[in-house]
Amino acid sequence: MSTAGKVIKCKAAVIWEPKTPFSIVEIEVAPPKAHEVRIKILASGVCRSDDHILSGELKVNFPIILGHEAVGVVESVGEGVTSVEPGDKVIPLFVPQCGECSPCIHPKGNLCKLNDFGTFFGLMSDGTSRFSCKGELVHNFVSTSTFTEYTVVHESSVAKIDAAAPPEKVCLIGCGFSTGYGAAINSAKVEPGSTCAVFGLGGVGLSAVMGCKAAGASRIIGVDINKDKFPKAKEVGATECVNPLDFEKPINEVLIDMTEGDGVDYSFEVIGRTDTMIAALTSCNMNYGTSVMVGAAPTKSEMTVPPGLIITGRTLKGTVFGGWKSKDSVPRLVSDFMQKKFTLDPLITHTMPFDKINEGFELLQTGKSIRSVLIF
Ligand code: COD
Ligand code: ZN
Ligand code: ZN
């Protein structure tokens, strides 16, 4: 029997307040309104940004359904939706692409004005939610919310992908892989023969290492305080790895020494801490080095950068979703994966049923996983 046009009751992992575990509860998911799409989720990855909400580092409105790295199938569409139809395999997009606002039109822009990244408003564009639990409104997360059997997103926050793509793998194209890989390819524009340093070797950092390698970097130095991350980093392309805890001097000085006093051409901060953002900037060549901030620092944190670090010619820049225009690029990244232009296997260390979500987060919090993928 068709569920189109009806409220769907299903299971979702809801967070009622920070620093509490997910509780799997029954929620009601309203039908999609005009220009909205209701999606049945098939697989969703566990990303550190979701954990930043649990820890309280990033502030959002509660209760909330997290999750933003997923694959699903369109269940039904609202009036006026033209780019997807029921039955399509799709990836929800935490950075939308409306195609009409100034960043969407500008060739260099990718942060569509419809994004809820940073504001964390948690509601649809009409100020309401499609989720409720026992009559109480439940917020969405970065226009996606994928830790639920069904979600509703705006049409600009969903991309149709190859029907043959394996959901438990290509879900990583919805966040971790694309964010890190694109930071190297699009945001830094790493050149062949260059030297790179990647601070933080989680799923996103390893993807940045893969991007540096694909761009032809000849040296890729991985930096992490957890040495257990080093074998995987070397497997995906790091030529050497260093642990800041093994040195008395600051890690930026270590990296300057490792590059005969020059500093690296490109550095990437993929942790989300202001001290490592400054260390990454200081590690790159004083005259032409570029440092790319990928990690989001805690809400309201501030960073003081000595102007002398910049005046000599260093560039400090940031990136969201690896600079990709999401709706155009995600289907292409999925076809590149299907054509074996890159692999996602090294990033996926665990898969588990959706109701084991708290175990997935514990593995991330204890540094034992790169990516856990929840299967619905
Ligand atoms: N020095 C060196 N390494 C460190 C330090 C430190 N002081 N502290 C932690 N680390 C290492 C950890 O051991 C870990 O290996 C790594 O840093 C971080 O990896 P994960 O697995 O925790 O995180 P990822 O790769 O899933 O995500 C990292 C982000 C920086 C992308 C994430 O935390 C974040 O800030 N996201 C928001 C920004 C963004 O664009 N998000 C897009 C949606 S995710
Ligand atoms: Zn993410
Ligand atoms: Zn837009």
Side-chain angles (χ1 to χ4, degrees):
M1 204 175 66
S2 170
T3 45
K6 297 177 186 152
V7 170
I8 292 181
K9 290 191 177 185
C10 68
K11 279 196 294 180
V14 176
I15 293 287
W16 298 90
E17 53 187 295
K19 301 187 176 124
T20 57
F22 291 92
S23 47
I24 307 256
V25 293
E26 187 180 82
I27 61 158
E28 292 87 44
V29 182
K33 291 192 182 174
H35 303 290
E36 295 176 358
V37 179
R38 190 159 61 181
I39 303 166
K40 182 180 196 311
I41 300 293
L42 301 174
S44 184
V46 168
C47 177
R48 178 64 74 175
S49 305
D50 301 304
D51 189 58
H52 286 333
I53 309 300
L54 298 188
S55 67
E57 274 174 64
L58 292 179
K59 306 275 181 244
V60 298
N61 295 315
F62 292 91
I64 186 166
I65 298 173
L66 300 177
H68 60 282
E69 182 182 85
V71 169
V73 172
V74 174
E75 174 269 339
S76 62
V77 299
E79 210 186 307
V81 170
T82 54
S83 60
V84 292
E85 57 184 47
D88 284 349
K89 194 176 271 185
V90 291
I91 290 187
L93 307 168
F94 73 87
V95 171
Q97 185 187 349
C98 75
E100 289 168 8
C101 70
S102 54
C104 278
I105 290 168
H106 197 285
K108 291 184 187 166
N110 83 317
L111 190 57
C112 171
K113 287 190 176 173
L114 289 189
N115 86 83
D116 192 27
F117 188 84
T119 36
F120 303 120
F121 190 43
L123 297 171
M124 304 304 283
S125 46
D126 65 355
T128 64
S129 176
R130 301 297 159 265
F131 301 131
S132 59
C133 181
K134 296 192 182 92
E136 185 175 352
L137 180 152
V138 179
H139 294 88
N140 71 31
F141 180 51
V142 287
S143 330
T144 46
S145 285
T146 59
F147 296 152
T148 166
E149 291 174 323
Y150 287 86
T151 190
V152 178
V153 303
H154 191 273
E155 185 180 10
S156 58
S157 289
V158 60
K160 180 179 173 177
I161 60 162
D162 184 342
E168 71 287 359
K169 293 188 181 176
V170 299
C171 59
L172 268 61
I173 291 174
C175 175
F177 173 77
S178 308
T179 298
Y181 196 79
I185 304 266
N186 301 326
S187 312
K189 295 192 171 36
V190 169
E191 290 143 340
S194 49
T195 297
C196 302
V198 177
F199 286 64
L201 300 171
V204 184
L206 291 177
S207 303
V209 170
M210 290 161 90
C212 293
K213 187 177 176 193
S218 54
R219 273 184 93 183
I220 305 169
I221 308 170
V223 181
D224 203 299
I225 49 171
N226 181 350
K227 66 175 172 27
D228 295 345
K229 305 279 172 134
F230 295 169
K232 191 60 71 85
K234 289 188 175 159
E235 185 189 326
V236 300
T239 52
E240 55 230 282
C241 289
V242 286
N243 183 345
L245 303 177
D246 288 344
F247 300 90
E248 279 187 5
K249 57 167 97 169
I251 192 63
N252 44 291
E253 288 180 25
V254 173
L255 287 163
I256 301 276
D257 289 349
M258 286 172 77
T259 49
E260 285 73 45
D262 286 336
V264 299
D265 299 306
Y266 299 98
S267 64
F268 301 86
E269 202 280 350
V270 202
I271 304 164
R273 298 172 55 98
T274 53
D275 59 342
T276 43
M277 286 169 188
I278 292 179
L281 175 67
T282 316
S283 308
C284 72
N285 185 284
M286 66 182 293
N287 192 195
Y288 47 77
T290 295
S291 187
V292 181
M293 286 168 45
V294 184
T299 303
K300 292 197 178 149
S301 59
E302 289 192 359
M303 187 167 91
T304 306
V305 178
L309 278 183
I310 304 284
I311 186 81
T312 55
R314 286 185 184 88
T315 301
L316 174 61
K317 61 189 298 188
T319 177
V320 173
F321 197 51
W324 302 103
K325 284 186 185 289
S326 61
K327 197 156 169 146
D328 293 343
S329 307
V330 161
R332 283 192 222 128
L333 285 164
V334 172
S335 24
D336 286 353
F337 170 79
M338 297 300 278
Q339 290 167 40
K340 300 196 172 22
K341 292 190 183 162
F342 59 83
T343 171
L344 296 168
D345 289 342
L347 304 176
I348 303 165
T349 51
H350 301 75
T351 51
M352 60 194 71
F354 169 48
D355 54 13
K356 297 267 191 291
I357 184 167
N358 284 312
E359 285 174 32
F361 274 86
E362 203 182 305
L363 287 165
L364 180 74
Q365 287 153 1
T366 51
K368 291 183 184 136
S369 62
I370 299 296
R371 271 296 192 270
S372 293
V373 175
L374 307 171
I375 311 291
F376 288 69

